[in-house]
Amino acid sequence: MTDVALSAPRSPWRVMAGRILTNPTTLAGVILCTIIVLGALLAPWLAPRDPLEQNIIDRLAGPGSEYLLGTDQFGRDVLSRLLWGARVSLLVSFLSIAGAIVIGGAIGMISAYVGGRFDLVTMQVMDVLLSFPSLILGMIMVALLGSSVTNLIIAIALTAIAPFARIARAPVLVLKERAFIEAGRALGFSHLRILLVHVLPNIVNDLLVMGTLWMATAVRTEASLSFIGLGVKPPTPTWGGMMRDGFENILDSAWLCIWPGLAILALVLGLNLVGDGLYDATDPKANAQ
Amino acid sequence: MISFIIRRLLASIPTLLAVLTLVFLLVRVVPGDPAIAILGDRATPDALAALRAELGLDRWIGAQYVDFLGHALRGDLGTSMVTHRQVWAEIADALPHTIVLTLAAMVIGCLIGIPAGIWAALHRNGTIDVLIRLFSLLGLSFPVFVSGIFLLIVFALQLHLFPVIGNPRPGDWIDGLHKLVLPAITLGIVMAAYVVRVTRSSMLQVLGEDYIRTARAKGVPRRAIIWRHGFSNALIPVVTVVGLYVGILIGNSVLTEIVFNRPGLGKVIVSALTQRDYTMLQGMMVIYCFLIVVVNLITDLSYGLIDPRVKQ
């Protein structure tokens, strides 16, 4: 007889973490995002100067030893503004997508769970929201609400609610017919308890994976709105606003566009890489291969 | 086919009605008085009241809605509060420029994306596949205004191959094409990135089918397997993505038009936003949604042409 060594099954989270960390592209995304998040958190200590401090004598100075990445048209240090600007990008994109996940997820879950005409009408409204180009909807909302960090978060969240409602709805349509949900109903559990305790844990992975990918879209939308002049008001540093300032001086100082452009690209690429990795790690079809 | 088009058009009516309702509500539900937003805080109460009456904002909201819907359904989108021209006329002047840019970007996106996607699928997990996937992810990650500005810096400022400003001279086709290249590439790159991904995965799925193996076993030439048996069956998801992406292209064209200083809907909407031209904004939202409904309709119709099984 052969002895068979049985090991305790690894938790799904550890399996997923293992898959993510052994995938080089996902790891690259995790590293990119970590660097940017750390840069934003440690901005007060890492930034060489005050991001709002103007030194008109040194305006449009090129990258060098005194100003590592140069200065803008008001003589403000570009590196310091980049580090502080990361905070706005991360804050706006994270909170707007968190809001969209909560609101959109709740709409999709309830709509599928209730079903019938309620589901039909709710999804029709979501389809109408989806038929607006998200950037245009964001632009119009910010213009109507006025530009501030809070309004920017609301506007971007509004553009992402409908996709999350769709993502949450599809699995709930299948889940609500399963035996354990029926058992919950038979035991007299409230609808809220069934939704929060028994349905939500089954769809939370999908929502979080899509959330990472949508955060990349939110970073792009925030930067685009700031570039158009509808984002956070100056002099608060934002990457899109810095691109706008740089674009106005593109003939003399093209580097002013290059640094914030690369920063936006790095964050969006990092989030896309992490999102793709999470998607593959949670996709049963990919895991079966 | 005609009955399908009629059914599909009828199905679009509730969506368009819902869009009109949402547009109406969006402009009215948000906090703040449009009259103050237009005239400013220092406007006299009389001037504010006169403007509210002119805009119909002093009437019951239900009456405003019926009025708005009636005008919109007759194709009357109102008059611009700033230029006092018909909203339709303003949009009609700008729309052809945006359509030309969007179509050019679509062509570039497909010309790059489809062959690259097929190539990647044929070399699955090889160096070419990895490189194509990496470039596609990079393309997806570039916000349009960033890639536009980077292209401007390299090709216009450094290499002097293209003009910095993309406003074409009227009637000069060659000048128009020359100035269209950079903006169209800017928009086309992102589209190519989407098309590559979906073409690759769709081709991989089709190439794994039994009938492809049968074709190989029968000695059908490789080129015929790839294009006739493979690609023609992998086309539906690609067309779906192209159709969906046209909506994103229309949105992104705003940024491209700003970066390259081109005429188009982008410039009209930005000036309407900065000048708080509410009637123009309403009209623009309706037009954007109408364009997307039309694109979705064309996408649905194209399924019937690509795959005889969906004719029904």
Side-chain angles (χ1 to χ4, degrees), chain A residues 239-264:
Chain A
W239 290 347
M242 288 174 75
M243 285 290 292
R244 182 187 169 87
D245 291 344
F247 189 53
E248 283 165 10
N249 296 284
I250 195 168
L251 294 176
D252 313 313
S253 322
W255 74 86
L256 282 178
C257 288
I258 292 174
W259 302 127
L262 289 177
I264 299 167

Short mmCIF file of all heavy atoms in Angstrom, two decimals, chain A residues 239-264:
data_model
loop_
_atom_site.label_atom_id
_atom_site.label_comp_id
_atom_site.label_asym_id
_atom_site.label_seq_id
_atom_site.Cartn_x
_atom_site.Cartn_y
_atom_site.Cartn_z
N TRP A 239 -2.90 65.77 -13.05
CA TRP A 239 -2.11 65.38 -14.22
C TRP A 239 -2.72 65.93 -15.51
O TRP A 239 -2.00 66.40 -16.40
CB TRP A 239 -1.99 63.86 -14.29
CG TRP A 239 -1.11 63.30 -13.20
CD1 TRP A 239 -0.27 64.01 -12.39
CD2 TRP A 239 -0.96 61.93 -12.82
NE1 TRP A 239 0.37 63.17 -11.53
CE2 TRP A 239 -0.03 61.89 -11.77
CE3 TRP A 239 -1.54 60.74 -13.26
CZ2 TRP A 239 0.35 60.70 -11.15
CZ3 TRP A 239 -1.17 59.55 -12.66
CH2 TRP A 239 -0.23 59.53 -11.61
N GLY A 240 -4.05 65.88 -15.62
CA GLY A 240 -4.71 66.41 -16.82
C GLY A 240 -4.51 67.91 -16.92
O GLY A 240 -4.25 68.45 -18.01
N GLY A 241 -4.61 68.61 -15.78
CA GLY A 241 -4.39 70.05 -15.76
C GLY A 241 -2.96 70.40 -16.15
O GLY A 241 -2.71 71.38 -16.86
N MET A 242 -2.01 69.57 -15.70
CA MET A 242 -0.60 69.80 -16.06
C MET A 242 -0.39 69.61 -17.56
O MET A 242 0.39 70.33 -18.18
CB MET A 242 0.30 68.84 -15.27
CG MET A 242 0.40 69.18 -13.79
SD MET A 242 1.30 67.93 -12.88
CE MET A 242 2.98 68.28 -13.39
N MET A 243 -1.10 68.62 -18.14
CA MET A 243 -1.02 68.41 -19.59
C MET A 243 -1.54 69.64 -20.32
O MET A 243 -1.00 70.07 -21.33
CB MET A 243 -1.88 67.22 -20.02
CG MET A 243 -1.37 65.85 -19.72
SD MET A 243 0.05 65.31 -20.66
CE MET A 243 -0.55 65.13 -22.31
N ARG A 244 -2.61 70.21 -19.77
CA ARG A 244 -3.22 71.38 -20.40
C ARG A 244 -2.24 72.56 -20.36
O ARG A 244 -2.04 73.24 -21.36
CB ARG A 244 -4.51 71.72 -19.63
CG ARG A 244 -5.29 72.87 -20.14
CD ARG A 244 -6.42 73.16 -19.15
NE ARG A 244 -7.06 74.41 -19.43
CZ ARG A 244 -8.06 74.54 -20.28
NH1 ARG A 244 -8.51 73.52 -20.92
NH2 ARG A 244 -8.60 75.72 -20.48
N ASP A 245 -1.62 72.78 -19.18
CA ASP A 245 -0.63 73.85 -19.06
C ASP A 245 0.53 73.61 -20.03
O ASP A 245 1.01 74.53 -20.68
CB ASP A 245 -0.07 73.91 -17.62
CG ASP A 245 -1.12 74.39 -16.63
OD1 ASP A 245 -2.13 74.95 -17.08
OD2 ASP A 245 -0.94 74.17 -15.42
N GLY A 246 0.97 72.36 -20.08
CA GLY A 246 2.09 72.02 -20.97
C GLY A 246 1.71 72.22 -22.42
O GLY A 246 2.51 72.70 -23.22
N PHE A 247 0.46 71.88 -22.76
CA PHE A 247 0.01 71.99 -24.15
C PHE A 247 0.02 73.46 -24.61
O PHE A 247 0.32 73.75 -25.76
CB PHE A 247 -1.40 71.40 -24.27
CG PHE A 247 -1.89 71.27 -25.68
CD1 PHE A 247 -1.13 70.61 -26.63
CD2 PHE A 247 -3.11 71.80 -26.05
CE1 PHE A 247 -1.58 70.48 -27.93
CE2 PHE A 247 -3.57 71.68 -27.36
CZ PHE A 247 -2.80 71.02 -28.30
N GLU A 248 -0.28 74.36 -23.66
CA GLU A 248 -0.27 75.78 -24.01
C GLU A 248 1.15 76.27 -24.30
O GLU A 248 1.34 77.30 -24.93
CB GLU A 248 -0.91 76.60 -22.89
CG GLU A 248 -2.43 76.48 -22.92
CD GLU A 248 -3.11 76.97 -21.65
OE1 GLU A 248 -2.42 77.58 -20.81
OE2 GLU A 248 -4.32 76.70 -21.51
N ASN A 249 2.15 75.54 -23.78
CA ASN A 249 3.55 75.94 -23.99
C ASN A 249 4.30 74.89 -24.81
O ASN A 249 5.51 74.76 -24.68
CB ASN A 249 4.25 76.11 -22.64
CG ASN A 249 3.64 77.25 -21.84
OD1 ASN A 249 3.89 78.41 -22.14
ND2 ASN A 249 2.82 76.91 -20.87
N ILE A 250 3.58 74.16 -25.64
CA ILE A 250 4.17 72.99 -26.32
C ILE A 250 5.32 73.39 -27.26
O ILE A 250 6.28 72.63 -27.43
CB ILE A 250 3.08 72.17 -27.05
CG1 ILE A 250 3.62 70.79 -27.42
CG2 ILE A 250 2.54 72.88 -28.26
CD1 ILE A 250 2.57 69.81 -27.87
N LEU A 251 5.25 74.57 -27.85
CA LEU A 251 6.29 74.97 -28.80
C LEU A 251 7.63 75.22 -28.10
O LEU A 251 8.69 74.93 -28.65
CB LEU A 251 5.87 76.22 -29.58
CG LEU A 251 4.66 76.03 -30.50
CD1 LEU A 251 4.26 77.34 -31.14
CD2 LEU A 251 4.95 75.00 -31.58
N ASP A 252 7.59 75.73 -26.85
CA ASP A 252 8.84 76.03 -26.13
C ASP A 252 9.28 74.89 -25.23
O ASP A 252 10.46 74.61 -25.11
CB ASP A 252 8.67 77.27 -25.22
CG ASP A 252 7.99 78.40 -25.93
OD1 ASP A 252 8.42 78.67 -27.06
OD2 ASP A 252 7.04 78.98 -25.39
N SER A 253 8.33 74.27 -24.57
CA SER A 253 8.68 73.33 -23.50
C SER A 253 7.83 72.07 -23.60
O SER A 253 6.93 71.85 -22.79
CB SER A 253 8.45 73.98 -22.13
OG SER A 253 8.81 75.33 -22.16
N ALA A 254 8.16 71.23 -24.58
CA ALA A 254 7.35 70.03 -24.81
C ALA A 254 7.39 69.07 -23.62
O ALA A 254 6.44 68.31 -23.40
CB ALA A 254 7.81 69.32 -26.08
N TRP A 255 8.49 69.10 -22.83
CA TRP A 255 8.60 68.15 -21.71
C TRP A 255 7.48 68.34 -20.69
O TRP A 255 7.13 67.41 -19.97
CB TRP A 255 9.98 68.25 -21.04
CG TRP A 255 10.15 69.49 -20.20
CD1 TRP A 255 9.79 69.65 -18.90
CD2 TRP A 255 10.71 70.73 -20.61
NE1 TRP A 255 10.07 70.91 -18.48
CE2 TRP A 255 10.65 71.60 -19.50
CE3 TRP A 255 11.26 71.20 -21.79
CZ2 TRP A 255 11.12 72.90 -19.56
CZ3 TRP A 255 11.73 72.50 -21.83
CH2 TRP A 255 11.65 73.33 -20.73
N LEU A 256 6.91 69.55 -20.65
CA LEU A 256 5.82 69.80 -19.70
C LEU A 256 4.63 68.88 -19.97
O LEU A 256 3.85 68.58 -19.08
CB LEU A 256 5.36 71.25 -19.79
CG LEU A 256 6.25 72.28 -19.12
CD1 LEU A 256 5.70 73.67 -19.33
CD2 LEU A 256 6.37 71.99 -17.63
N CYS A 257 4.49 68.46 -21.24
CA CYS A 257 3.42 67.52 -21.59
C CYS A 257 3.87 66.08 -21.35
O CYS A 257 3.05 65.21 -21.06
CB CYS A 257 3.04 67.64 -23.06
SG CYS A 257 2.16 69.12 -23.45
N ILE A 258 5.18 65.85 -21.55
CA ILE A 258 5.65 64.46 -21.55
C ILE A 258 5.55 63.83 -20.15
O ILE A 258 5.03 62.72 -20.01
CB ILE A 258 7.09 64.39 -22.10
CG1 ILE A 258 7.05 64.74 -23.59
CG2 ILE A 258 7.71 63.00 -21.90
CD1 ILE A 258 8.37 64.86 -24.27
N TRP A 259 5.98 64.55 -19.11
CA TRP A 259 5.97 63.93 -17.76
C TRP A 259 4.57 63.56 -17.29
O TRP A 259 4.34 62.40 -16.93
CB TRP A 259 6.66 64.83 -16.72
CG TRP A 259 8.08 65.18 -17.07
CD1 TRP A 259 8.63 66.43 -17.12
CD2 TRP A 259 9.16 64.28 -17.40
NE1 TRP A 259 9.94 66.37 -17.48
CE2 TRP A 259 10.30 65.07 -17.67
CE3 TRP A 259 9.26 62.90 -17.54
CZ2 TRP A 259 11.53 64.52 -18.02
CZ3 TRP A 259 10.47 62.35 -17.90
CH2 TRP A 259 11.59 63.15 -18.14
N PRO A 260 3.61 64.52 -17.28
CA PRO A 260 2.27 64.09 -16.82
C PRO A 260 1.65 63.04 -17.74
O PRO A 260 0.94 62.15 -17.27
CB PRO A 260 1.45 65.38 -16.81
CG PRO A 260 2.22 66.37 -17.57
CD PRO A 260 3.65 65.96 -17.55
N GLY A 261 1.96 63.12 -19.05
CA GLY A 261 1.43 62.13 -20.00
C GLY A 261 1.94 60.74 -19.65
O GLY A 261 1.17 59.77 -19.62
N LEU A 262 3.23 60.64 -19.34
CA LEU A 262 3.81 59.34 -18.97
C LEU A 262 3.22 58.85 -17.64
O LEU A 262 3.01 57.65 -17.46
CB LEU A 262 5.33 59.42 -18.88
CG LEU A 262 6.07 59.58 -20.23
CD1 LEU A 262 7.57 59.72 -20.00
CD2 LEU A 262 5.80 58.39 -21.15
N ALA A 263 2.98 59.79 -16.73
CA ALA A 263 2.42 59.39 -15.42
C ALA A 263 1.02 58.81 -15.60
O ALA A 263 0.69 57.76 -15.04
CB ALA A 263 2.38 60.61 -14.49
N ILE A 264 0.20 59.48 -16.43
CA ILE A 264 -1.17 58.98 -16.67
C ILE A 264 -1.08 57.60 -17.33
O ILE A 264 -1.75 56.65 -16.92
CB ILE A 264 -1.97 59.94 -17.58
CG1 ILE A 264 -2.12 61.32 -16.93
CG2 ILE A 264 -3.35 59.37 -17.90
CD1 ILE A 264 -2.62 62.40 -17.87
#
